[in-house]
Amino acid sequence: MWYKIEVVDKSGIFDALGQSVKRGILGLGIKNVKQVKFIQVYNLLGSVTLEEVKSICENLLSDKVAQVYRILGVANKASFGSNAHLVEVAYNPGVMDPVEASVLKGIQDLGISGVTAVKTAKKYIISGKLSAAQLKTISEKLLYNKLIQHVVDPQISQGFLGHLPEYNFKLIIVELLSATSRRLLEISKQGQLFLNLNEMRQIQSHFRKLKRNPTDCELETLAQTWSEHCYHKTFRGNIAYQERQAVPALGNLAIKNLLKTTIMKVTKELNKSWCVSVFKDNSGIIKFDAKNNICFKVETHNHPSALEPFGGANTGIGGVIRDAMGTGLGAQPILNSDVFCFAPPDLAFNKVPRGSLHPKRVMQGVVSGVGDYGNKMGIPTVNGAILFHEHFVSNPLVYCGTVGIIPKDKSFKQTDPGDLVVVIGGATGRDGIHGATFSSGELTHESETVSSGAVQIGNPIQEKKVLDTLLAARDLNLYSALTDCGAGGLSSAVGEMGAALGAKVYLDKVPLKYSGLTYMEIWISESQERMVLSVPVKNIDKLVKLFAHENVQATVIGEFTATKRLELYYEDNLVCDLAMRFLHDGLPRIVKKAVYIQSKHREPKILLKKDYSVDLLKLLSHYDICSKEWVIRQYDHEVQGGSIIKPLVGLTNDGPSDASVTKPLFDSDKGIVIANGINFRFGFIDPYWMAASCIDEVVRQIISVGGSLEEVAILDNFCWGNPDKPDRLGGLVRAAFGCYAAAKAYGLPFISGKDSFYNEFNLHGKSTSIPGTLLISAISVMPDVNQALSMYAKAVGNLIYLVGNTRDELGGSHYYDLYQALGNVVPRVYFKEALASFQALSRATKKGLIKAVHDCSDGGLAVAISEMIFSGDLGAEIFLREAPYLSDNPRNDSLLFSESNSRFVVEVEKNKQKEFEKALKGRPFGLVGYLTQSKDLKVYGLDGKICINVATSKLKETWRAPLKW
Amino acid sequence: MLKPKVCVLRTAGTNCDKETAAAFKLVGATPELWHINSLLEKKRCLDNFQILALPGGFSYGDDIASGKLFANELKFKLAKELQEFICQGKLIIGICNGFQILVKSGFLPGNSELKQNVSLITNDSGKFEDRWVYLKASGKSVWTKDISQIIYLPVAHGEGKFILEDKSLLNKLEQNGQIVFKYCTALGEPARYPDNPNGSTQGIAGITDVTGRILGLMPHPERHIFSRQHPRHENLKGKKFGQGLAIFKNGVEYSIRTS
């Protein structure tokens, strides 16, 4: 029997979800919508009586205080009047809907056993005069995403598909030995392997030596392992680099392994004793206290988020949380950090290329995807950033990071031969197939159809269950090693863990979500919430029982061997037999070409003005600078109770914090500072200085919250275009060298990193790259969180200092962006001068000489001071003549809006003036003003005349308005 | 003097269990984390505890409705033991998701048939929100004894709008002193959004049963047990404890007095 149940809010109850949809429709420019009513639909299948279904409805599916339900037969042609339109949205077959399992559990808890399957759907009744075309627009732009959902046709019963076909084993051999070059490329393309001709030839010659053809599974395993995503071919390969007209000049270089030449070199040279595990594990580990270490990893999930923003971001954050869980013998995740780049949310619809979603929808989806997963896992999202540029229209950037805490003695892992291969967590389905290789190619308008298998939705509660049980098993020493199933699924996880040993896996033992999967699909599926453990045989029963007790599946699927081979079986048939050595070291080394030519950009001609109030207001409402409160509030940033410096600070908790401070342990005052630096605009002019500026920015943020440079580790995260194109790769090389210079100068070791390439969008044969973007994430240990400082202005009469030299460096600034120009004079970093300022300021903080510090960054001095005073609800008088300013052509606007690095706005009490100035002696600083009772910002220019005069409330309103959705 | 034992009950998706336990420990209780499966296997173990705490989180993902599945588990598998626990004069606290569970299982505001007659539904804003709120205590509960000034706690939920079956119930709850926390402005005046973060009827943030021994509230007192958790803790130097701690202290002291 099939029952269709509809649950709807009672009349008189405010339909918040319906209202949200209505707002969305109005936002599309469709004005004649009167009302939207939301209905939750459950389809139940099984042998149950109507009485039982009623009981299910009353006790489980509806809330009798707020809702009513009705049970419909299969036919469902209820009429809602001529001006009411019905849209019912359901998930496509094979897409995981966690609610279905929950409903089944709830029904069993009621003591009803006959229900065999549940399908949910969402129904919207939209009232108002709408054309068919408008209805289609509403559906497609707001209500569903065809990659994972469909609109249910009320005429056809689509609630349940019949049984999925069973799978009958058939070994597939790929004819490779005789293949011509052309055929090799065809095989790569048809199989979505994203392997180039060189690589295909290498595989061909390997199998020629073996005198046999590979199975499809062998070929796939190689493609997964050799993918850019898993192997980082660009960073680890050889590069022939040439450059022209760049400062500083790197010259022409033959680079062997860019990673080891720049990023990893810093770590090696600095040789910090507190670096515990770097570039080895799923995340980098540093020392926290005598008993614990902390780990940090930042991942990207750009391509999936482009196609299905909620699911892409959801599984992005889910994946990086598993990176923490898979570090050492398992870390406890304690905070998340998320950084996004989108196209402007008010982009005209006709500027959105075919096959792409509108940036506002992308942003809303990504934010709720991240919120959903982080909140449900109970991990506070304490830090982040969002930036905007039109070139992210089809390829947004979604960076997700997780910090974990791990006991010192659980920080390393070792698999031994004979240990069992155990998969824990979710079952395996057809979802996420080809994610790893998919992210190693450019997006095209066909990506949505070709690669839709790579899109999936997460199940955070499944992962939470895995986390709870995993840590219990860890503390009982039940397993010897683990890793998460991320890109490449089991193929990567088992391949990696068994790389030095060998492994045998019986693919038919892997628990499946539904039947019909081929052995190869099982092997490469990227179904979420799974991890692989190596378990000594003697512990297996205890381990399986421990997981089962909290409803987590743990299944033995094979064993680690000493054969140095990867052997896969399906029902006793050998389907893959590869030498680990070829798998991990067989990739042909090629030389990629890289060229960097310093480009010339338009220098805007900006006339001098008397008053810059309007410019300041424009900057405050720039999407990069304006308040992100709408986003931040949707994340739980208080869970776990450790949030000390929160993402929103100030008198009414709505000012922009610089970095976050978190206290992870209840019985210790030690804290963790998290900061991030990102600025693709500087990269348009010179990626070298972009990288150095990003590193300078994280240091500024750490100093601003009261931290120091003593124990700061950083992570690199490059999102770039196609590295096979010499100009793209040229910029990357320069950025990597910028990283080296700044990290070395400041003494910050890199401990982990990530790269995401092919962030290009191919439309009608023309490829557009995203702006080459580097995210630097920083983690630092703060000895005592009671030292932590927030950025908002504290008290009337306190003095305002500007620390650090301002230079006429307006290239890539937001001020120039108001004039649609880039300019050429990008901010540089004067490492020696900066380091001395950082140290002096950090000492002054420790002595308690400072009330507040704010990092001077996007929008420059004027924006920084505005943010401080409106967050503290005070006013300020500022005198530009007092600012340390190095210029051949002094101008008010340069001083107000230049984004020169290494600067801070500092608030000091009058009675600490002498001591503070003594502490800063020899450093560039100026007493530029003071905080006033009168709530407005008055800035006096270089000529002593007033050049900005705006009420504090106006500054704040302007800053809060753009994303107040 | 015996330390009261607190059962902090968790299941898939519970995520405020550790900080709730920490809060109870700080005020001298002995908390233990129990998974629901363990308790269902050994139901009589509940007898060993003086306080039951249902912490925040997203039990079973809040699928169908927040707290619903966990509420049903308690109602259909553990009702007898829980009713005995209550009859013995013991205490229950439900925070955020725990409050939703107590409401949806009919333990709050409470009647003998465990019939649900109030609810916590989707915020008027239609989304999850994390923000600090001011609360005014009123009514009669052992948990809120001597809390006279306004207290400041964070909320973090998507379904916290308190509604009642009918108006007469509201009057009844008022008369019985069962409404124990209301959202207010910083000055203690009736709150509108965002001071009332979800659109709750009369700004109701927390209620108790008729005995005053079962407390449910949306805000998170366990996230403000130290003053440095306060968003503007820099101005509070010298103060050690936060404004949520009194609730736990009250519960534990009551347990000590009555045991």
Side-chain angles (χ1 to χ4, degrees), chain A residues 110-172:
Chain A
L110 297 176
I112 297 169
S113 57
V115 177
T116 51
V118 176
K119 276 262 158 211
T120 69
K122 288 178 167 34
K123 212 160 159 173
Y124 305 87
I125 297 169
I126 305 166
S127 314
K129 219 169 165 185
L130 295 171
S131 66
Q134 284 176 318
L135 198 62
K136 189 164 177 263
T137 305
I138 293 169
S139 303
E140 285 177 359
K141 300 241 181 287
L142 285 179
L143 303 181
Y144 84 109
N145 182 342
K146 63 184 171 187
L147 299 184
I148 54 165
Q149 293 157 316
H150 61 275
V151 170
V152 178
D153 182 344
Q155 309 299 323
I156 308 166
S157 52
Q158 284 179 311
F160 292 92
L161 285 160
H163 287 291
L164 289 157
E166 291 294 319
Y167 169 64
N168 293 314
F169 175 77
K170 185 171 173 255
L171 185 66
I172 295 176

Side-chain angles (χ1 to χ4, degrees), chain A residues 80-323:
Chain A
F80 301 96
S82 59
N83 273 342
H85 309 270
L86 176 85
V87 182
E88 181 174 335
V89 177
Y91 284 113
N92 293 339
V95 175
M96 203 259 334
D97 174 8
V99 179
E100 292 170 9
S102 293
V103 175
L104 281 172
K105 178 196 153 44
I107 293 172
Q108 279 160 13
D109 285 349
L110 297 176
I112 297 169
S113 57
V115 177
T116 51
V118 176
K119 276 262 158 211
T120 69
K122 288 178 167 34
K123 212 160 159 173
Y124 305 87
I125 297 169
I126 305 166
S127 314
K129 219 169 165 185
L130 295 171
S131 66
Q134 284 176 318
L135 198 62
K136 189 164 177 263
T137 305
I138 293 169
S139 303
E140 285 177 359
K141 300 241 181 287
L142 285 179
L143 303 181
Y144 84 109
N145 182 342
K146 63 184 171 187
L147 299 184
I148 54 165
Q149 293 157 316
H150 61 275
V151 170
V152 178
D153 182 344
Q155 309 299 323
I156 308 166
S157 52
Q158 284 179 311
F160 292 92
L161 285 160
H163 287 291
L164 289 157
E166 291 294 319
Y167 169 64
N168 293 314
F169 175 77
K170 185 171 173 255
L171 185 66
I172 295 176
I173 306 283
V174 182
E175 179 51 56
L176 207 66
L177 300 191
S178 65
T180 59
S181 298
R182 210 175 120 192
R183 180 67 197 135
L184 286 175
L185 281 173
E186 269 171 26
I187 292 169
S188 173
K189 193 164 184 205
Q190 281 162 8
Q192 291 188 51
L193 303 177
F194 292 93
L195 291 168
N196 64 31
L197 187 58
N198 260 318
E199 293 156 353
M200 287 301 287
R201 279 197 185 130
Q202 182 92 339
I203 296 170
Q204 187 181 44
S205 84
H206 177 77
F207 280 93
R208 275 182 179 158
K209 271 183 238 150
L210 298 177
K211 297 196 173 80
R212 70 174 175 90
N213 273 310
T215 67
D216 56 345
C217 196
E218 289 171 327
L219 204 49
E220 266 293 348
T221 304
L222 287 162
Q224 297 282 345
T225 312
W226 291 5
S227 68
E228 182 64 61
H229 190 101
C230 296
Y231 203 89
H232 309 288
K233 289 185 265 202
T234 301
F235 259 106
R236 288 159 65 168
N238 300 325
I239 299 171
Y241 173 79
Q242 293 182 311
E243 80 178 8
R244 257 185 278 157
Q245 293 150 8
V247 182
L250 303 174
N252 296 343
L253 302 167
I255 300 163
K256 280 187 186 166
N257 194 323
L258 182 59
L259 199 60
K260 283 193 179 159
T261 315
T262 56
I263 307 289
M264 285 166 79
K265 192 174 165 197
V266 182
T267 313
K268 205 171 163 193
E269 288 175 356
L270 292 173
N271 193 23
K272 298 282 187 189
S273 61
W274 43 264
C275 285
V276 176
S277 166
V278 295
F279 294 104
K280 270 189 289 210
D281 212 330
N282 286 316
S283 59
I285 309 180
I286 62 168
K287 193 176 162 203
F288 181 65
D289 62 14
K291 287 186 204 149
N292 297 288
N293 293 324
I294 47 177
C295 63
F296 194 11
K297 170 77 176 186
V298 180
E299 269 285 353
T300 52
H301 227 214
N302 306 331
H303 287 189
S305 304
L307 299 179
E308 183 4 61
F310 180 93
N314 202 236
T315 51
I317 187 79
V320 79
I321 293 168
R322 282 198 307 283
D323 275 327

Side-chain angles (χ1 to χ4, degrees), chain A residues 419-452:
Chain A
D419 285 355
L420 300 171
V421 182
V422 177
V423 61
I424 61 166
T428 299
R430 209 168 262 135
D431 33 9
I433 287 182
H434 281 135
T437 48
F438 161 62
S439 65
S440 306
E442 292 180 16
L443 285 172
T444 70
H445 70 275
E446 281 164 4
S447 295
E448 53 171 353
T449 43
V450 176
S451 305
S452 63

Side-chain angles (χ1 to χ4, degrees), chain A residues 344 351 389-390 601-606 615 618-619 622 681 684-685 810-824:
Chain A
K351 283 197 169 177
H389 191 277
E390 278 195 23
H601 304 279
R602 181 172 71 87
E603 236 5 282
K605 293 207 166 45
I606 301 173
D615 303 72
K618 276 189 195 159
L619 283 170
H622 191 290
R681 287 171 204 280
F684 287 125
I685 302 174
L810 284 141
S813 69
H814 291 80
Y815 181 60
Y816 272 13
D817 194 47
L818 299 181
Y819 292 87
Q820 283 91 43
L822 269 175
N824 297 288

